[in-house]
Every structure is written in C-alpha cells, then in structure tokens.
Amino acid sequence: MTPRPLFRFARLAACVIAIAGSASSAIAQPRAKPVPDNAVAWSYGTGWDCKPGFMKSAEACLRIAVPPNAALTGSTYGTGWECRRGFRDVSGQCVAIAVPANGYLSDSSYLDGWDCNRGFEKTAGGCTKVAVPGNAYLTESTSSRPWECNRGYRVEGTACLAIAVPANGYLDGSYYGRGWTCERGFKATQSACVKVEVPKFGFLDATGRDWKCDRGFARNATGCVQIQLPERAHLTSAGNNWECEKPFQKIGDLCQQSRAGR
C-alpha cells in the first residue's frame, strides 16, 4: 500500500500543475480591446463597430455632425451623410437647389440638379423656350437640336425647307423622308428623273433604272444585237453570250478544237 503522506503529496503536485497550465493558457490568449462608448462589440472575434450616427476615429466613436437638410447614409466612409432631395452639398452644407421657371428637380445631383421641361432648353442658368421652325416638331433629344423637320422637308440652318421632288419621282422610304427616288422606268440625275430608253429586244431590269437584252441578244453601245452562233456553240445559261461544246474552245468568233485534243 502507498503510504498516506506520499499519496497526499502526489495530489498536491497534480493541483499545482493544473493551476500553472490554466495560467499559461490565459496568458497566451490575446486580450480583447475595450469597447469604446457608442460602439457595439462583434458577436465573434475581438472587434467592434460604431452605433448608427457615429463614425470610427482612431479607437473612438465620434458623433457624425449632420447639417440641416441632410440625412445619415449608414456608410462608414466619407461624411456619413448626404443632402436630401432638392439640396446639394456646398462646402459641407446642404444648400437648396434653385430651380428656374419651366424647370424641375432631376436625379442628376452631380450636374445642376435640375432639367428643363419639354419644349425648353438650358441656357445661361435658366430654361428658354425652344424655337421650333415651321414644318418641324419637338423631339426628345438632349444631345443635338431639340427639333426635327417633318417628312418631306430638310434642315437648312434653323429652318425646314421643302424637298423639291422632280416629275416622275417620289419621297424615299426613309423614316425622315429626306430625299427622293425615281419611279420605275426612270433614272435619277442631279435634280431630275430621266426616262430609261429601252431598245428593241430589251427590257427593264429588276432595279427599274436600267435595261437588259432578251435571250439570244447581246448588249452593245447602242442597243441589243442578235447573237450569231458559230458551229458547235450554244447560248450560255444567261442567254446573252455563247460558249463552245466540249472539247472545242472559243477562239475569236469560232469554236475550234485545241491542238492537244487532236
């Protein structure tokens, strides 16, 4: 049997070792930083965040100074506030946006904060009525002129002039109708529509502005001439030329057998 004094000594030594281990463990763990006023500790870790209305500065939470006509943003960056609609930040203060007559507040706070009503345009800090010329209409454009000419008219400076459509012509099919096209059977010159003269044995092509020859005829400078087929030749698929039967070759106006084929 173990003597009682020895047993007591063993138990005492075990207690001392356990206490020492606990102390070293406590020393090894980092100490949590103190949570400053107006802050909330993280639910995990050792950090903290400022409460709404306060912003972190070094190891403290300072109250955000919100100027009149402003509201907190909840952001931890920048000023922590922004001006209400209708106001803009000028040197840390929210100054009312001066909207001119015939204007309205816009969402473009980085610009003037206002735009002009339809029919008006920005000029010298105000809204000036758009001068729409005759035969024109207002558009939604904000990058170019705010009006466009009616169909059948073209822009000339600040006016809309009627397009002079020649006889046998019509306004083109474009959305704005800024030009004209000749009717079928006519071709355009600089300012007129000239009749297409179709020669004998010819017909208008698909464009309606030129002509082609019938099958068996070829086009020359004056009209359509009948194709004279030499021996052992036939019309091409288009019908306006000819080619030789194999193994003959086209040599001048004849079909001749090549020397290699002899």
Side-chain angles (χ1 to χ4, degrees):
M1 293 182 61
T2 305
R4 182 173 293 272
L6 184 58
F7 176 71
R8 289 179 177 176
F9 177 78
R11 288 184 62 184
L12 180 59
C15 290
V16 171
I17 293 173
I19 293 172
S22 299
S24 61
S25 177
I27 293 172
Q29 292 182 352
R31 289 185 178 181
K33 292 182 179 180
V35 178
D37 293 339
N38 302 306
V40 178
W42 292 353
S43 59
Y44 60 89
T46 59
W48 48 268
D49 289 316
C50 292
K51 293 179 180 179
F54 294 84
M55 184 169 289
K56 190 173 184 178
S57 176
E59 298 301 320
C61 289
L62 302 182
R63 183 180 294 278
I64 298 173
V66 182
N69 302 307
L72 291 169
T73 62
S75 174
T76 57
Y77 300 95
T79 61
W81 57 267
E82 64 181 6
C83 293
R84 299 183 185 277
R85 190 172 188 274
F87 296 83
R88 62 187 313 167
D89 185 356
V90 178
S91 301
Q93 297 297 319
C94 291
V95 179
I97 296 173
V99 181
N102 300 305
Y104 62 93
L105 283 173
S106 69
D107 295 327
S108 302
S109 58
Y110 60 93
L111 296 175
D112 298 326
W114 56 269
D115 283 316
C116 293
N117 295 331
R118 186 174 185 272
F120 295 82
E121 58 185 346
K122 285 186 174 183
T123 53
C127 292
T128 305
K129 188 174 180 62
V130 176
V132 181
N135 300 303
Y137 59 92
L138 281 171
T139 65
E140 301 297 326
S141 176
T142 57
S143 58
S144 59
R145 64 175 178 273
W147 55 266
E148 191 57 73
C149 292
N150 294 333
R151 177 173 170 79
Y153 294 82
R154 60 182 176 81
V155 177
E156 186 69 28
T158 58
C160 290
L161 302 184
I163 296 173
V165 181
N168 301 305
Y170 58 92
L171 286 173
D172 61 23
S174 66
Y175 178 77
Y176 294 112
R178 297 292 177 260
W180 52 269
T181 302
C182 292
E183 295 176 355
R184 180 172 172 80
F186 295 83
K187 59 183 178 180
T189 61
Q190 186 173 359
S191 59
C193 289
V194 180
K195 185 177 178 60
V196 177
E197 299 297 338
V198 181
K200 187 178 181 180
F201 305 115
F203 61 93
L204 281 172
D205 64 10
T207 68
R209 296 171 181 80
D210 202 355
W211 54 269
K212 291 182 178 180
C213 292
D214 293 335
R215 184 174 177 82
F217 291 82
R219 180 169 179 166
N220 63 13
T222 59
C224 295
V225 295
Q226 188 169 15
I227 296 173
Q228 301 298 323
L229 289 176
E231 187 179 1
R232 301 185 185 283
H234 61 272
L235 291 173
T236 60
S237 58
N240 301 119
N241 205 343
W242 59 271
E243 60 188 8
C244 297
E245 300 173 0
K246 293 181 180 180
F248 294 87
Q249 294 182 344
K250 189 175 184 179
I251 300 176
D253 294 329
L254 301 175
C255 289
Q256 298 180 1
Q257 195 169 16
S258 64
R259 294 179 179 274
R262 292 180 180 179

